[in-house]
Amino acid sequence: MAINYTDRIPNNVDLGSNRTLQRALEHWQPEFLKWWEDLGPKDFQVADVYLRTATSVDAKGWATYGYVRMPEYRWGIFLNERDPNRHIGFGDNYGQEVWQQVPGEYRATLRRLIVTQGDTEPASVEQQRMLGHTAPSLYDLRNLFQVNVEEGRHLWAMVYLLHAYFGRDGREEAEELLERHSGDADKPRILGTFNEPIRDWLSFFMFTYFTDRDGKFQLKSLAESSFDPLARTCQFMLTEEAHHMFVGDTGINRVVKRALEVMHELNTDDPQAIRNAGAIDLPTVQKYLNFWFTSSLDLFGSETSSNAASYFANGLKGRPDEAQYEDHVASEQFYELQLPDGHGGTKNEQIPMRNAMNEVTRSSYVRDCEIGVKRWNRLIEKAGLPFRLTLPSTRFRRNIGNWAGVPTTPEGVPISAEQFTAHKDAWLPNESDQAFILSLMHGVFEQGKMAAWIAPADRGINNHPVDYEYVKLH
Ligand SMILES: [Fe+2]
Ligand SMILES: [Fe+2]
């Protein structure tokens, strides 16, 4: 169905035919806008930003571009087209018809899954609200705001499901999504990673590469759901999410590229010399990568999970790209985990496949993360340098799961707590690294200019040059 932009709330779900639902969402809309004003990007609400807005849900050409003041962005409800032949793709009900309504017995669980996903969307906007002040260019400023408005739209996507399918409880949950705030002492966001403010652009690029990619895999799992409206919502969110990871991928690429240029100019790989020249040395990039990759790993949950097993059995949340697996029931298979043995070594353990679904998804995520790392390393290799960026082991610095609190090297070798403490500053951003990165953060708002710590992008947005006036400040 075409997107209706004449309604107060743009949508392709024929919202006008359900007046009660429409009224409820129109009641939530001003609360959302107030939240955006209070906790969205600070100080840029009157700027004209060159943004894309969804105009259809087709895989190709779904966006239109133009200057928009962010509070006037047309946030709306867009679901992929319904496939009348879609059947349940996994679990105990494999092959049966998908659900257009929420089955009573799964109501609480599905609501919880939707709320947990929904909570991350506005949380990231809150985490990033000060970043506009220190954007390295207008191009980057625009990309930040594009990510922010789309995370706002992802909140709309989840709120629509809560309002349309979960009655009064759903409406209450939708209100609470605007009441919890990132880092709030009394009402924090649900997941830990989403309560840390993002103060610098290196962290922002790491977040969009690693944490938005966790989002991609969560959405891919939910896009398999037997609850069809949830699946269709997530399918469309994934098309928006791709840009967020692009921002991270190319952002890190440009940081690396700039470091290499400075190393070449100065003919040195001394980190201090690179820093003195105003660029970010590669070992520091590695430390930020270590931090954000490991913090994103925790978002997948424990290696062994009975919740994950029942989500799979009941068809609520599947494996990303379920079609690639041969056995969609997975009731007889096992998965081998390597766990800490409690004596500084490891032991192998076989667990039922269904209980290992978090680990299955985490492994696909790690493989996806490697693609960017390879690309960044190709740049370094081309420059003739031996340095390589690497993803740390999934055992390193974990706070959730079997490896939580078990000190290891970045390679995943168990070590003593003393050894970990002794090396921590070399493995993770320490205070002086953070102070250095923050010292580089100054807004560059002049058209065509770029901060010294990052190389210009290879190409601009929507065929415009990189030095286009992507944000008109007033
Ligand atoms: Fe999102
Ligand atoms: Fe995102």
Side-chain angles (χ1 to χ4, degrees):
M1 190 177 292
I3 290 183
N4 180 352
Y5 271 98
T6 58
D7 280 9
R8 236 167 81 188
I9 300 169
N11 70 91
N12 71 345
V13 293
D14 195 15
L15 193 55
S17 71
N18 185 341
R19 295 308 297 268
T20 317
L21 176 60
Q22 187 177 29
R23 264 199 302 271
L25 285 164
E26 283 178 357
H27 185 75
W28 187 81
Q29 189 177 35
E31 293 175 40
F32 169 83
L33 289 171
K34 185 170 184 317
W35 165 80
W36 179 269
E37 221 168 83
D38 292 346
L39 290 168
K42 193 164 165 21
D43 298 326
F44 290 93
Q45 304 283 352
V46 296
D48 291 306
V49 188
Y50 189 71
L51 293 175
R52 69 176 185 189
T53 305
T55 45
S56 81
V57 292
D58 294 343
K60 283 181 185 154
W62 58 269
T64 177
Y65 288 82
Y67 286 101
V68 182
R69 291 181 180 200
M70 286 185 279
E72 286 155 28
Y73 188 78
R74 302 300 314 274
W75 285 284
I77 299 158
F78 314 126
L79 272 66
N80 265 21
E81 298 281 346
R82 184 170 158 187
D83 170 4
N85 296 317
R86 186 168 177 257
H87 287 84
I88 295 177
F90 61 93
D92 292 341
N93 305 317
Y94 178 71
Q96 292 178 18
E97 243 174 81
V98 289
W99 317 319
Q100 299 306 327
Q101 291 296 330
V102 180
E105 66 264 48
Y106 305 137
R107 196 182 161 87
T109 314
L110 273 171
R111 194 183 64 213
R112 192 70 199 154
L113 284 170
I114 291 168
V115 166
T116 306
Q117 178 62 39
D119 195 68
T120 65
E121 314 287 358
S124 67
V125 176
E126 294 165 353
Q127 288 173 288
Q128 296 163 14
R129 68 185 299 259
M130 303 305 286
L131 276 180
H133 294 157
T134 54
S137 70
L138 292 180
Y139 164 87
D140 291 287
L141 187 62
R142 177 262 166 213
N143 281 347
L144 166 70
F145 293 156
Q146 184 71 62
V147 171
N148 291 160
V149 293
E150 286 176 355
E151 300 303 4
R153 205 206 68 73
H154 292 176
L155 172 61
W156 269 95
M158 295 297 120
V159 163
Y160 164 71
L161 294 175
L162 290 170
H163 271 256
Y165 297 97
F166 293 88
R168 193 201 166 112
D169 306 351
R171 289 194 294 279
E172 283 171 7
E173 293 281 14
E175 276 170 29
E176 281 171 39
L177 283 168
L178 296 176
E179 283 164 15
R180 283 186 295 273
H181 299 140
S182 180
D184 192 300
D186 299 323
K187 286 191 165 184
R189 291 295 176 184
I190 296 170
L191 301 170
T193 313
F194 292 89
N195 283 303
E196 300 288 339
I198 297 178
R199 293 190 182 88
D200 68 83
W201 280 73
L202 182 57
S203 297
F204 172 64
F205 292 138
M206 293 292 173
F207 182 95
T208 42
Y209 188 79
F210 290 110
T211 312
D212 278 281
R213 192 174 309 273
D214 156 73
K216 169 183 167 181
F217 279 79
Q218 300 302 336
L219 292 174
K220 272 168 135 348
S221 303
L222 295 172
E224 302 287 340
S225 181
S226 313
F227 178 39
D228 200 44
L230 173 61
R232 288 158 54 211
T233 305
C234 292
Q235 285 156 14
F236 185 65
M237 289 164 78
L238 279 163
T239 60
E240 292 169 306
E241 206 61 61
H243 172 73
H244 309 180
M245 286 170 288
F246 161 87
V247 169
D249 188 356
T250 54
I252 298 168
N253 202 74
R254 290 160 56 208
V255 169
V256 170
K257 193 173 167 195
R258 183 66 195 135
L260 294 170
E261 285 170 5
V262 170
M263 287 163 89
H264 182 74
E265 280 162 26
L266 302 180
N267 192 25
T268 176
D269 61 359
D270 172 23
Q272 196 52 52
I274 315 303
R275 286 186 175 196
N276 292 344
I280 303 173
D281 55 292
L282 298 178
T284 301
V285 174
Q286 178 69 59
K287 289 187 195 182
Y288 276 73
L289 183 159
N290 288 350
F291 178 86
W292 285 101
F293 173 66
T294 51
S295 116
S296 305
L297 289 174
D298 277 337
L299 293 169
F300 291 88
S302 299
E303 287 79 1
T304 317
S305 165
S306 55
N307 276 343
S310 70
Y311 298 159
F312 187 88
N314 297 330
L316 308 183
K317 189 179 174 186
R319 288 174 286 196
D321 306 304
E322 180 61 41
Q324 74 178 10
Y325 296 92
E326 259 170 44
D327 175 0
H328 300 297
V329 181
S331 57
E332 317 269 297
Q333 296 175 322
F334 288 86
Y335 190 93
E336 187 160 292
L337 289 173
Q338 279 202 324
L339 304 176
D341 65 4
H343 310 286
T346 64
K347 60 174 184 193
N348 289 2
E349 201 174 296
Q350 296 246 328
I351 63 163
M353 180 62 84
R354 285 180 171 187
N355 289 66
M357 288 307 172
N358 288 345
E359 192 58 17
V360 170
T361 306
R362 185 167 21 238
S363 303
S364 310
Y365 166 80
V366 172
R367 283 195 296 278
D368 207 45
C369 287
E370 274 162 1
I371 297 170
V373 179
K374 271 196 194 127
R375 220 182 344 255
W376 308 327
N377 279 334
R378 227 172 287 146
L379 271 185
I380 304 175
E381 200 179 339
K382 261 202 209 152
L385 295 164
F387 189 94
R388 295 291 176 268
L389 292 164
T390 47
L391 294 179
S393 160
T394 55
R395 302 170 185 174
F396 180 61
R397 203 186 79 89
R398 291 292 300 280
N399 288 305
I400 286 175
N402 295 95
W403 289 92
V406 179
T408 77
T409 66
E411 294 75 32
V413 179
I415 51 174
S416 69
E418 292 73 28
Q419 283 172 306
F420 185 86
T421 310
H423 286 94
K424 197 168 164 262
D425 280 359
W427 291 337
L428 295 163
N430 58 41
E431 261 175 50
S432 84
D433 296 327
Q434 291 176 42
F436 168 68
I437 295 297
L438 282 174
S439 78
L440 296 176
M441 298 295 130
H442 299 288
V444 177
F445 303 120
E446 211 179 314
Q447 193 182 345
K449 290 268 156 57
M450 186 66 57
W453 56 268
I454 188 166
D458 287 338
R459 61 188 68 81
I461 299 295
N462 195 29
N463 296 321
H464 289 293
V466 178
D467 60 7
Y468 188 69
E469 193 178 13
Y470 288 106
V471 182
K472 291 181 181 169
L473 302 165
H474 301 290

